[in-house]
Amino acid sequence: MKKKIVFSGIQPSGKLTIGNYIGVIKQWVKMQNKYNCIFSIADLHSITTYKNNFDLNNNILDTLSLYLACGINPNKSIIFIQSHIYEHTQLSWILNCYTNYGELNRMIQFKKKIINNSKNINTGILFYPILMASDILLYNTSYVPVGLDQKQHIELCRNIANKFNNIYGNTFNIPKPCILKNGNRIMSLQETNKKMSKSDKNLNNIIYLLEKKKDVFKKIKLIKTDSKKKYKIKYNNNLGLLNILNILSGLTGKKINKFKNHFNNKIYSDFKNEASNIITIFLEKIQENYYNIRKKKSFLKDILNYGKIKAKKIAKKNLFKIIKKVGLKFKI
C-alpha cells in the first residue's frame, strides 16, 4: 500500500526550543520511518511579525541544521523552503474564497497575537491559518503533527477541505492532527500559565536547543519552589516542577512517575541539579551534530534545492487539479 503523507513545518523566526523538539520534531523523527514526510521551513508565516534585525536567510539554514541534528533524514523526508513553492500562495488565495470571515475571527491564536503585538496587527496574522491550510492540503496530507495550540488551525483546515469537497467532489484528503498525549504542551519555565515560546521576551522562560550548559542550570535554578531549600520535594500544585518532569519525560521517553519515584525523599536543589544535568546531556548531543552540519553551507543548500524539486513536482500536479475544478483552467 502507498504510504500516507505527513506534513508539518516550523517558522525560522527564532531559535528552536526544547518545546519545539518535544511537541513536534520528536514526532517527525519517528514518523519519517513509516510515512512519506514533507517538512517545510515556513518562512512566509514568519514575516507576519517583521523585525529590523531579522536575518531570514541565516535563520533558514539554522533551522534546517537543527532539523538534521535532531534526526530528520533528507533521504527519507522532503525538506523545503515554503516560499520557494509558489503553489502555496496560489492555493491560499483560492482557499480564502471558501473560508468565512467569522471562522478566522474566532481563532484563539489570532486573538492572543493581537493582545501581545498590538502595534503590528496586519492582515497576514488574520489570514495565517488559510496559508497553513494550503500548506497542508496541497500535498494530500493525511496527518499533521502539531502542538496542542495548533489544533484549532487544523480543525479550520478540515472545515475548508470538507466545504470544497462538498462543492466540487472529492478533491482534498481530510487531514488529522497528531498531538502527543504527553509533552504536547511544554510550558514557560517561570510563567507556567503559558506555553514555552521562542518569541518570549523573558529569556528565563525558555530553554533553547542551543542553550549553553551554565544557562540551563541558571534558568532551572530560578524555578520557584518551597522557600526552605532543605524541604523534601512536594509537587502538589507546583506547576514549575511538574513542567520540568514533563520535559524530562519528553526528552528521555521515560514516564513521569518514574522520575517522581526517583526524586522521592530528595530535596529541591537535588531535583534542579539532576534535571539540569539530564537536559544538558541531551542538548549536547544535538549541539555537536548541529555545529558540524551548520558549517556545510553547500550541503545544506543542496538539501533545500533537492527538496524544492520534489515538493514542486507534487504541488504543481495537485494544484492543476484544483484550479481545473474551480474553472480557472481555460483553453485558448
Side-chain angles (χ1 to χ4, degrees):
M1 291 179 65
K2 189 177 179 181
K3 288 183 179 180
K4 291 186 177 181
I5 293 172
V6 166
F7 182 94
S8 194
I10 292 178
Q11 295 182 38
S13 54
K15 301 173 184 177
L16 298 182
T17 71
I18 54 174
N20 295 128
Y21 174 81
I22 295 170
V24 179
I25 298 177
K26 185 179 178 181
Q27 286 193 80
W28 293 3
V29 176
K30 291 180 179 178
M31 295 178 92
Q32 67 183 344
N33 295 318
K34 186 176 179 181
Y35 302 102
N36 286 327
C37 291
I38 303 173
F39 300 128
S40 166
I41 298 175
D43 57 335
L44 291 173
H45 287 298
S46 70
I47 62 173
T48 55
T49 306
Y50 44 80
K51 300 176 184 177
N52 291 331
N53 61 346
F54 190 49
D55 189 348
L56 192 53
N57 288 332
N58 277 329
N59 281 6
I60 285 170
L61 295 180
D62 291 345
T63 301
L64 172 60
S65 299
L66 278 171
Y67 282 7
L68 302 178
C70 290
I72 302 302
N73 186 340
N75 294 318
K76 294 180 179 179
S77 304
I78 296 173
I79 310 171
F80 71 99
I81 300 172
Q82 180 191 31
S83 65
H84 287 188
I85 310 299
Y86 304 143
E87 286 79 2
H88 286 251
T89 48
Q90 289 177 279
L91 179 57
S92 183
W93 173 253
I94 293 172
L95 297 186
N96 272 317
C97 302
Y98 296 87
T99 307
N100 293 329
Y101 173 73
E103 289 182 291
L104 292 178
N105 241 349
R106 288 193 292 271
M107 292 292 107
I108 295 169
Q109 288 290 308
F110 173 63
K111 293 176 181 177
K112 285 182 179 178
K113 285 180 180 179
I114 286 179
I115 294 170
N116 296 332
N117 196 26
S118 59
K119 293 181 180 179
N120 180 25
I121 306 172
N122 56 68
T123 54
I125 297 172
L126 177 64
F127 291 105
Y128 176 107
I130 302 178
L131 178 56
M132 182 176 173
S134 75
D135 296 339
I136 295 165
L137 298 176
L138 187 57
Y139 297 95
N140 286 322
T141 302
S142 294
Y143 302 112
V144 187
V146 290
L148 190 61
D149 59 316
Q150 292 292 325
K151 184 180 178 183
Q152 190 184 29
H153 287 172
I154 304 302
E155 289 172 355
L156 176 65
C157 176
R158 288 167 58 87
N159 290 342
I160 295 169
N162 276 315
K163 185 175 184 178
F164 194 96
N165 287 352
N166 288 336
I167 296 170
Y168 298 105
N170 190 28
T171 306
F172 295 122
N173 276 345
I174 308 302
K176 295 179 181 179
C178 292
I179 301 171
L180 291 175
K181 290 182 180 179
N182 297 314
N184 61 62
R185 192 171 172 82
I186 300 301
M187 308 307 287
S188 158
L189 295 180
Q190 313 304 326
E191 300 170 71
T192 52
N193 61 326
K194 65 180 185 179
K195 189 188 80 164
M196 184 182 289
S197 171
K198 56 185 176 174
S199 61
D200 198 320
K201 292 179 181 178
N202 183 356
L203 298 183
N204 288 325
N205 283 332
I206 315 160
I207 296 178
Y208 295 110
L209 290 179
L210 299 180
E211 196 81 67
K212 293 180 180 178
K213 181 176 181 178
K214 64 176 184 178
D215 292 326
V216 173
F217 275 79
K218 175 188 169 185
K219 291 178 180 183
I220 291 181
K221 190 175 181 180
L222 290 172
I223 294 170
K224 292 179 182 178
T225 52
D226 199 295
S227 58
K228 294 185 178 181
K229 294 182 180 179
K230 292 184 180 180
Y231 274 14
K232 291 180 182 179
I233 296 169
K234 295 178 181 178
Y235 298 106
N236 297 333
N237 294 320
N238 190 322
L239 299 180
L241 291 182
L242 293 172
N243 189 38
I244 294 299
L245 288 175
N246 206 17
I247 289 171
L248 295 179
S249 176
L251 294 180
T252 64
K254 296 178 182 178
K255 292 183 178 179
I256 287 176
N257 282 337
K258 283 194 173 183
F259 282 106
K260 281 187 174 181
N261 292 335
H262 174 75
F263 288 115
N264 271 348
N265 299 319
K266 294 190 178 184
I267 59 176
Y268 291 110
S269 59
D270 292 336
F271 175 91
K272 290 182 178 181
N273 286 331
E274 195 165 342
S276 299
N277 199 45
I278 292 169
I279 292 169
T280 53
I281 289 172
F282 180 86
L283 293 182
E284 281 168 358
K285 295 176 184 177
I286 289 176
Q287 290 169 12
E288 183 181 359
N289 290 337
Y290 170 83
Y291 289 113
N292 284 333
I293 293 166
R294 184 61 182 86
K295 59 189 177 185
K296 301 173 184 177
K297 199 169 182 179
S298 60
F299 167 70
L300 295 172
K301 288 185 175 182
D302 285 345
I303 289 173
L304 292 173
N305 189 51
Y306 181 64
K308 174 185 174 182
I309 292 168
K310 294 187 76 174
K312 181 79 173 177
K313 186 177 179 180
I314 300 168
K316 189 174 181 180
K317 179 182 177 182
N318 289 339
L319 184 66
F320 180 85
K321 294 177 182 178
I322 296 162
I323 63 176
K324 191 175 179 181
K325 287 196 173 187
V326 298
L328 294 173
K329 193 66 181 175
F330 186 76
K331 292 183 180 180
I332 299 175

